[in-house]
Amino acid sequence: MTHALNIVWNPSEGIDLGFFVIRFYSLMFVIAFGLGWYIMKNIFERENESLEKLDSLFIWIVLSTLIGARLGHVLFYDWEYFRNHLLEIFLPFRFDPKFEFTGYQGLASHGAAIAIVVAMYFFSKEIMKKPMLWILDRIVIPVSSGAVFVRFGNFFNSEIVGNETTSPLGIRFVRDHFTQRDAVNATQLATPKEAYHAIVTDPKFADLLQQVPAKHPTQLYEAFFYIFVFAILFYMYWKTEARQKSGFLFGLFLVLLFTVRFFVEFLKESQGGFEKSLGLLSTGQWLSIPCVLVGLYFVFTAEKPVHI
């Protein structure tokens, strides 16, 4: 008989500097983009490309990732809500039922992937002056490394959690089970920070802690496998001739990353979206299938350029 490790996950929101809090979720994005820039710098140097173009590429990638991920969440997962609250798509606060700062809650990787491809079409045409697949074959390397840190960010935020489990890998996500309002109401403490801390550490609230079930840390599962996706792409670019086959690395990225996503989805709690109307699979799985199919097409049709 197996038992969960009984790990209770209740991290702080970030690093408190007194005058400012560096949120872990935001920090993971900064690391992802920073590491991505460094990886692409080495690629550009190998390809004898101007680093001025790299600076432009960095801006295009950051904007397309954030905009695409936001719109992907809105359209794929929560359109029923946002169609009646259009301003909240673009503004980090809500007006109903009262004015409240919310931040940008909800980012979808499928939306980011689509937006990056669209952005790279214009970037390759207007700035890079190279075929679109040339840049796509190379940016998938830093994108796959960035995916690891995005999932770490989700873990720090206690979001995108898995189903309940008795597996030894199960983790009890306090902030997933209790909303800030629930925690304050249950403990009658002044702030969510105090309430969460009391639930975990104060024996008086042991009954509340016992209500928190162990769930699959699906964010960590994805992050773990994405490390291998990055390692494979990185190795094939630097150590093989795969980079000379136009579209091959891009296709391989789509196949590997979204295959991982497809199978991990079986362990996740529902994220909503259109899965109820289609049935059988989750929204994330339905969106992953075309990504894998497109990836297979590029893998099997990739050819080395003909030099005359």
Side-chain angles (χ1 to χ4, degrees):
M1 183 175 179
T2 59
H3 297 277
L5 293 177
N6 208 36
I7 295 175
V8 177
W9 185 243
N10 179 44
S12 64
E13 293 184 349
I15 303 171
D16 192 345
L17 302 178
F19 60 93
F20 183 73
V21 176
I22 302 176
R23 298 182 182 277
F24 290 124
Y25 187 69
S26 300
L27 182 60
M28 291 301 104
F29 267 89
V30 171
I31 293 174
F33 286 126
L35 178 60
W37 182 89
Y38 178 76
I39 292 171
M40 284 303 296
K41 176 177 179 291
N42 287 305
I43 290 174
F44 268 47
E45 288 176 343
R46 180 183 191 179
E47 307 279 357
N48 294 317
E49 293 293 335
S50 168
L51 293 185
E52 290 182 3
K53 294 180 180 179
L54 175 59
D55 292 336
S56 297
L57 174 63
F58 181 77
I59 295 172
W60 281 65
I61 289 292
V62 170
L63 292 177
S64 60
T65 297
L66 297 179
I67 294 172
R70 178 60 174 169
L71 292 179
H73 172 78
V74 169
L75 297 174
F76 299 147
Y77 290 95
D78 212 3
W79 178 240
E80 286 301 312
Y81 174 82
F82 282 104
R83 69 176 182 175
N84 297 315
H85 303 83
L86 295 178
L87 284 178
E88 292 181 28
I89 298 175
F90 308 101
L91 301 178
F93 44 78
R94 65 165 59 104
F95 300 96
D96 183 36
K98 63 179 182 179
F99 181 83
E100 179 184 4
F101 179 81
T102 60
Y104 290 106
Q105 298 178 350
L107 299 173
S109 58
H110 294 92
I114 294 170
I116 289 173
V117 171
V118 172
M120 290 306 95
Y121 168 78
F122 292 102
F123 177 84
S124 61
K125 185 176 181 180
E126 301 297 329
I127 298 176
M128 203 70 211
K129 307 299 183 183
K130 283 182 175 291
M132 179 180 174
L133 287 175
W134 185 93
I135 190 65
L136 288 177
D137 280 334
R138 285 149 182 81
I139 65 165
V140 292
I141 301 172
V143 167
S144 60
S145 70
V148 176
F149 292 98
V150 170
R151 285 298 177 246
F152 284 154
N154 295 139
F155 182 66
F156 277 112
N157 267 11
S158 298
E159 60 188 7
I160 315 182
V161 301
N163 299 317
E164 293 185 21
T165 181
T166 57
S167 161
L169 299 177
I171 291 178
R172 298 161 71 184
F173 294 93
V174 176
R175 294 177 184 243
D176 168 71
H177 188 76
F178 293 105
T179 66
Q180 292 187 358
R181 181 176 299 177
D182 290 339
V184 169
N185 290 339
T187 60
Q188 294 299 301
L189 294 173
T191 67
K193 181 178 180 180
E194 293 174 330
Y196 284 129
H197 182 72
I199 290 173
V200 174
T201 62
D202 192 334
K204 182 170 61 176
F205 299 112
D207 59 325
L208 293 177
L209 184 59
Q210 289 304 312
Q211 296 176 22
V212 183
K215 296 184 177 182
H216 284 290
T218 47
Q219 321 95 323
L220 297 184
Y221 297 167
E222 281 192 64
F224 175 77
F225 287 110
Y226 289 166
I227 291 173
F228 289 97
V229 174
F230 165 71
I232 291 169
L233 294 172
F234 186 88
Y235 174 82
M236 296 196 74
Y237 173 81
W238 287 100
K239 300 297 183 179
T240 74
E241 299 301 311
R243 68 185 183 281
Q244 296 183 10
K245 300 176 66 175
S246 181
F248 180 83
L249 291 176
F250 172 61
L252 186 60
F253 163 81
L254 292 177
V255 172
L256 293 177
L257 188 130
F258 288 106
T259 296
V260 169
R261 176 69 184 271
F262 181 89
F263 285 105
V264 173
E265 284 283 324
F266 282 114
L267 301 177
K268 285 184 185 178
E269 288 185 341
S270 172
Q271 302 298 306
F274 51 77
E275 59 191 42
K276 289 184 179 180
S277 59
L278 294 179
L280 206 65
L281 301 173
S282 72
T283 301
Q285 288 172 316
W286 283 116
L287 291 171
S288 295
I289 290 172
C291 293
V292 172
L293 294 177
V294 170
L296 288 172
Y297 169 80
F298 281 110
V299 167
F300 288 111
T301 59
E303 296 180 355
K304 290 184 178 181
V306 178
H307 298 288
I308 301 176

